[in-house]
Amino acid sequence: MASISLNATSITVLGIDPGSNVTGWGVVRERSGRLELLANGVLRVKGNTFPERLACIYHGLHHIIEDFRPDEVGVEQVFTSKNVMSTIKLAQARGAAIAACASFDLPVLDYEPSLVKKTLVGTGRADKEQVAYMVARLLGQTHIEGPLDTTDAIGIALCHLTLRRFRRLEELQKQEI
């Protein structure tokens, strides 16, 4: 897989909130420190069988990647629940999303939901509405249209960009030593 270049002045990131029923996505560009929402939406997963549903996720994200040509991708890690079968299905949906990114040789970093929330809101236990509020504010908007899966995905992209800046600062500090 391609490596992350921390020296780019403009970077486009695809954030993905994978789900076996609804997969949220958001494309954010950062250019010279300014954030711009390029596009966002959800893939409403269709198919009679689970493999058909996974193919829907793969092909849907494949088209989004073709259209927006992101440089990097942030994907939410699987949130383990008490229902083992739901966790397995979510992990498989995440795998289909990552496979779509890998088909373009994109660097993919994954983020725990609590890290995304803490990065954006300041607490790892923030609810989806708080994340949506901060996503809109960070992008200079009052509201982001679409379901919360969309703002979660944009939040993942914003978290990726924020942590990327920190990695860049660390790299610069190491060069100074």
Side-chain angles (χ1 to χ4, degrees), residues 23-98:
T23 292
W25 62 273
V27 182
V28 179
R29 177 182 298 140
E30 181 180 35
R31 186 179 312 167
S32 300
R34 299 199 65 174
L35 297 169
E36 175 188 8
L37 178 62
L38 300 181
N40 61 286
V42 292
L43 298 172
R44 300 219 180 263
V45 182
K46 296 182 175 116
N48 295 324
T49 67
F50 197 69
E52 289 173 346
R53 297 173 74 75
L54 295 176
C56 179
I57 294 167
Y58 176 89
H59 292 297
L61 288 172
H62 197 275
H63 290 300
I64 291 163
I65 294 167
E66 280 181 327
D67 289 347
F68 294 100
R69 298 290 177 187
D71 301 300
E72 298 171 9
V73 180
V75 180
E76 189 172 71
Q77 288 181 353
V78 173
F79 177 79
T80 55
S81 68
K82 292 179 183 177
N83 185 334
V84 175
M85 288 309 295
S86 293
T87 302
I88 290 170
K89 286 181 178 180
L90 181 57
Q92 290 174 331
R94 186 176 180 279
I98 291 171

Side-chain angles (χ1 to χ4, degrees), residues 28 33-36 119-121 131-141 154-155 158-159 162 165:
V28 179
R34 299 199 65 174
L35 297 169
E36 175 188 8
T119 302
L120 298 176
V121 180
V131 171
Y133 176 85
M134 285 306 296
V135 163
R137 292 302 176 269
L138 288 168
L139 293 168
Q141 300 181 22
I154 298 166
L158 292 171
C159 175
T162 300
R165 275 185 240 112

